[in-house]
Amino acid sequence: MRWVRSRGQGNWGSGAWSLGDALIIDLCKVDRWLVGSMAGRSTSAVEAMATVKGGRVAVIGASGYGGLQTIRLLQGHPGLSVSFLGGERSAGQRWSSVCSFLPLPDDPKVESADPDRIAACSDFAVLSLPNGLACQLTPQLLERGVRVVDLSADFRYRSLEQWLQVYAKEAGSLNRQDAELCSSAVYGLPEWNGPAIADAKLVAAPGCFPTASLMPLLPFLKQGLIETSGIIIDAKTGTSGGGRLPKEAMLLAEASESIAPYGVIGHRHTSEIEQMAMEVAGQDIRLQFTPHLVPMVRGLLSTVYARLRDPGLTAEDCTTVLEAIYRHHPCVQVLPVGTYPATKWARHTNRALLSVQVDTRTGQLVLMSAIDNLIKGQAGQGVQCLNLMAGLAPETGLPLQSFYP
């Protein structure tokens, strides 16, 4: 796979577009922005690996869902390989005794997360740890030259003060003094922060709900096509989003044959979504976000409602906006008008499936997005960031087609 620096040629025939010259000019600006954001590279995946120190990856929190998905995705990867397995409760055990269903060459031992040991055998570290733990290990890894992708929420906020407020439970047992590190961490949404991720020492991978919600929403905020007030996000996820540790609400008897909202007011991902939305829109945004637990293992569907500034825009017009933004991003698929994404279509893939509809009666824009919460919503996006950091095309080694049904 090669990076393409030149602009793609879109089909802008007079019969296919009805928004007027002003919006067409805006979309041309988007295209120029996209070309810059891709930070063109001209080497193949294998060639690129020869230009960097190495592609050795430590996976910390290896036996959790995020760690397991990361290890699975790195098996057979052409440029990255697992060099260290870190764990707490499983430290000292052979991998086969921890996860016999995912065999690894030479059956390595799971080790405690010792920074010196990790630095001796790894160029990168993926931290799949509970909130409040990654921030204790990350500074030590960075000091030793290990570049970090954190799958937890510890570095997603630019402001440490905001993190302390949102994650007050975890913050109560910590004495974090790493405000500068928080502000320098790069938010790991590759389609929007690709060049910064490529150069980053520390990447904070987004949460699954923010990923699914921001992907369809950001293009319309960037182009100023929707009102910034009154945005509503209704999202539904499977039980694996709660992690591997047992929780009462995730028991089969509790979750099966039922659907229920949770975190209705003040869910932690609300402010994370708002932070990225404000950066793209360039103004303050307050939105409503409600997640729901549905009786399936994996998958996430997000439906976003926003009011169009121009009620004359059609679903075809808005689909063209999405296509213009994501035309160079193979991990995103924009569906035709009238085709709405299903979580099963994205399962076990790193692809985000996007669709749009317009209610001309109310002037409301309806955006839909389906992802696999453990792949594009977590580990796959982490590997996508690793690819960029290693000088590879972002989709390298990642599954983009599901096995259906």
Side-chain angles (χ1 to χ4, degrees):
M1 178 68 186
R2 293 182 181 273
W3 288 85
V4 179
R5 191 172 180 82
S6 61
R7 288 178 54 180
Q9 298 299 315
N11 179 15
W12 301 101
S14 58
W17 191 246
S18 60
L19 296 189
D21 293 341
L23 188 53
I24 291 176
I25 291 172
D26 281 346
L27 289 175
C28 289
K29 291 179 181 178
V30 169
D31 201 29
R32 289 196 295 273
W33 166 78
L34 273 168
V35 172
S37 74
M38 291 298 287
R41 289 167 169 78
S42 59
T43 56
S44 69
V46 175
E47 292 167 342
M49 286 309 301
T51 66
V52 296
K53 178 181 177 183
R56 304 169 301 168
V57 182
V59 180
I60 314 301
S63 62
Y65 287 150
L68 287 171
Q69 308 300 307
T70 301
I71 292 167
R72 179 65 186 89
L73 290 170
L74 292 179
Q75 286 187 323
H77 192 288
L80 302 172
S81 60
V82 177
S83 60
F84 181 93
L85 299 176
E88 183 180 357
R89 294 183 303 276
S90 55
Q93 300 180 51
R94 289 288 178 185
W95 180 250
S96 60
S97 67
V98 178
C99 294
S100 58
F101 53 85
L102 184 61
L104 294 177
D106 302 322
D107 194 16
K109 278 188 177 182
V110 180
E111 304 180 42
S112 59
D114 177 74
D116 289 325
R117 171 75 180 113
I118 295 170
C121 64
S122 308
D123 306 296
F124 306 98
V126 174
L127 307 186
S128 182
L129 298 169
N131 298 319
L133 294 183
C135 61
Q136 301 176 53
L137 179 61
T138 295
Q140 301 177 68
L141 294 176
L142 296 176
E143 289 172 1
R144 291 162 173 79
V146 179
R147 301 170 72 185
V148 174
V149 174
D150 177 25
L151 301 184
S152 80
D154 285 9
F155 295 100
R156 290 176 189 163
Y157 290 91
R158 301 274 188 260
S159 165
L160 174 59
E161 182 179 352
Q162 186 176 15
W163 185 89
L164 295 173
Q165 294 173 356
V166 176
Y167 289 86
K169 180 180 178 180
E170 292 82 356
S173 60
L174 300 172
N175 182 28
R176 291 189 67 174
Q177 303 292 330
D178 55 355
E180 185 175 345
L181 195 56
C182 289
S183 63
S184 66
V186 176
Y187 193 65
L189 199 57
E191 288 77 13
W192 289 82
N193 288 332
I197 292 169
D199 296 332
K201 302 297 184 185
L202 171 60
V203 173
C208 53
F209 282 124
T211 296
S213 302
L214 288 168
M215 294 295 284
L217 176 61
L218 292 181
F220 295 92
L221 288 174
K222 184 173 182 64
Q223 288 298 294
L225 297 175
I226 57 175
E227 301 289 346
T228 55
S229 61
I231 297 172
I232 298 173
I233 300 174
D234 179 295
K236 299 170 178 66
T237 190
T239 57
S240 59
R244 200 175 185 190
L245 291 177
K247 300 178 180 67
E248 181 178 315
M250 306 300 172
L251 295 173
L252 180 64
E254 301 288 335
S256 181
E257 302 176 38
S258 178
I259 180 171
Y262 65 98
V264 175
I265 301 296
H267 189 281
R268 289 171 163 182
H269 283 171
T270 304
S271 54
E272 182 184 334
I273 296 170
E274 289 175 342
Q275 176 183 249
M276 185 64 181
M278 285 189 283
E279 288 184 13
V280 170
Q283 59 183 287
D284 187 63
I285 289 179
R286 291 289 179 268
L287 52 80
Q288 200 71 43
F289 168 67
T290 304
H292 300 74
L293 181 67
V294 299
M296 61 184 181
V297 174
R298 60 199 302 158
L300 195 157
L301 179 69
S302 182
T303 305
V304 184
Y305 303 89
R307 183 166 297 279
L308 287 165
R309 284 181 168 160
D310 180 356
L313 294 182
T314 67
E316 288 77 11
D317 297 334
C318 294
T319 297
T320 302
V321 172
L322 289 178
E323 290 172 342
I325 289 286
Y326 291 120
R327 67 174 64 181
H328 298 298
H329 296 283
C331 293
V332 180
Q333 180 181 354
V334 180
L335 301 176
V337 174
T339 301
Y340 307 130
T343 56
K344 184 172 285 190
W345 299 354
R347 192 165 66 172
H348 299 293
T349 80
N350 196 59
R351 181 159 275 171
L353 303 176
L354 310 183
S355 182
V356 60
Q357 189 54 272
V358 172
D359 188 336
T360 56
R361 184 179 61 89
T362 62
Q364 200 81 359
L365 176 68
V366 184
L367 301 165
M368 293 148 281
S369 172
I371 64 171
D372 185 314
N373 59 297
L374 296 179
I375 307 295
K376 182 58 176 170
Q378 190 185 34
Q381 189 146 254
V383 173
Q384 200 176 345
C385 292
L386 285 175
N387 284 336
L388 289 168
M389 296 164 80
L392 307 174
E395 73 276 14
T396 303
L398 290 170
L400 297 180
Q401 297 294 333
S402 66
F403 288 94
Y404 191 87

